[in-house]
Structure formats: C-alpha cells, structure tokens
Amino acid sequence: MLALPDDALQPGYAGVRAELADGKHSGKLQLRINAKHKENRMVYEMAHITVSAGKNAEFEASVAQALPLFHRARGCRSVELQRGVEEPNQYVLVVQWDTVEDHMVHFRESDDFQEWRRLVGPYFEKPPVVGHTQVVVK
C-alpha cells in the first residue's frame, strides 16, 4: 500500500517516493503527481545556429564533446541538436531548462559557457539567434 502526504494533490507538488516490499518485489517507485503543472513551467532555449560551409562534421563533433557542460548545468533537463533538412548548415540547439534564469544567469555566466563557446564558436557563420519558448499546447 502506498500512502500519500495530505498535500500531494496540491499544485506544485513534484512527486512521491515510496519503498515497495510485497515479498516478491522490492525497490523504489516514484510517482509523478501533477507533472503537467511542473512541465508547463519548463522553458526551452532555441538557439538558431548557422554553421560555416563545409564545417558540419566538426561542429557536430564539438557539440557532442560539449554535452557534459549542459548535463551538469543547474536546471538543464535535456539538450539536443537538430539540423535543417533543406538547409543543412542551419541548426537548432534545443535545451530544456527549469527556468530562464538557469540558462541566462547560472549557465551563461559560468566557465562552462565559456568552454561551450570555445568549442563551437569557431564554426559559427554569424552569431546565433537565441530565444525561449514554453509548451502551451500538447
């Protein structure tokens, strides 16, 4: 049996951890309660990047090398690089953050951001165009 705290159904409640032990199974179970509420607060950094002609492979390798910088950043939930089909020198870096502040303050003002720019900056044809979005319909 799983007992939930009284406030488990209140907005903003992130989850419940419970130990299972029924004689046959044991382990940990995490329930996501009101996950929609938390998901809607997430923000997506959308960095539109144009890479210099003929530098795609080097750029993609540098992004792969830089992934740990994002993975250890405060508030970073995921990161992926997408390449344009019609225009293969066009990329979109999509990073899911807990807050805009996690991106614009905690990451952008860090040494890891400087390392990111050192790794990928040489391949930019022009400065990236960066904005933030939130999911409104799913």
Side-chain angles (χ1 to χ4, degrees):
M1 179 169 179
L2 175 64
L4 299 176
D6 291 338
D7 64 348
L9 299 178
Q10 297 301 314
Y13 195 88
V16 175
R17 292 191 190 274
E19 292 291 327
L20 298 177
D22 65 2
K24 296 180 184 174
H25 303 91
S26 64
K28 292 186 178 187
L29 167 72
Q30 182 173 3
L31 296 177
R32 301 293 296 178
I33 296 182
N34 209 359
K36 182 178 178 184
H37 176 77
K38 182 160 179 64
E39 181 180 306
N40 286 340
R41 296 186 311 177
M42 296 282 177
V43 296
Y44 293 85
E45 169 194 356
M46 308 293 280
H48 297 266
I49 300 168
T50 303
V51 172
S52 299
K55 297 297 183 181
N56 296 67
E58 295 98 322
F59 172 69
E60 291 172 19
S62 293
V63 172
Q65 183 181 351
L67 289 178
L69 303 173
F70 289 94
H71 292 153
R72 68 178 173 232
R74 173 181 166 173
C76 180
R77 298 296 170 202
S78 67
V79 59
E80 67 181 21
L81 181 66
Q82 301 175 9
R83 182 177 54 215
V85 174
E86 293 82 8
E87 297 183 45
N89 287 0
Q90 298 291 322
Y91 291 84
V92 180
L93 179 75
V94 181
V95 185
Q96 186 179 21
W97 298 97
D98 285 341
T99 66
V100 172
E101 181 182 36
D102 285 334
H103 173 223
M104 297 302 293
V105 176
H106 302 293
F107 183 65
R108 291 288 295 260
E109 294 179 4
S110 73
D111 291 339
D112 282 345
F113 177 75
Q114 296 305 317
E115 179 64 6
W116 157 253
R117 291 306 288 259
R118 184 190 71 74
L119 288 168
V120 300
Y123 306 108
F124 295 166
E125 184 174 286
K126 59 185 179 182
V129 176
V130 180
H132 297 92
T133 65
Q134 287 185 308
V135 174
V136 294
V137 177
K138 190 168 184 177

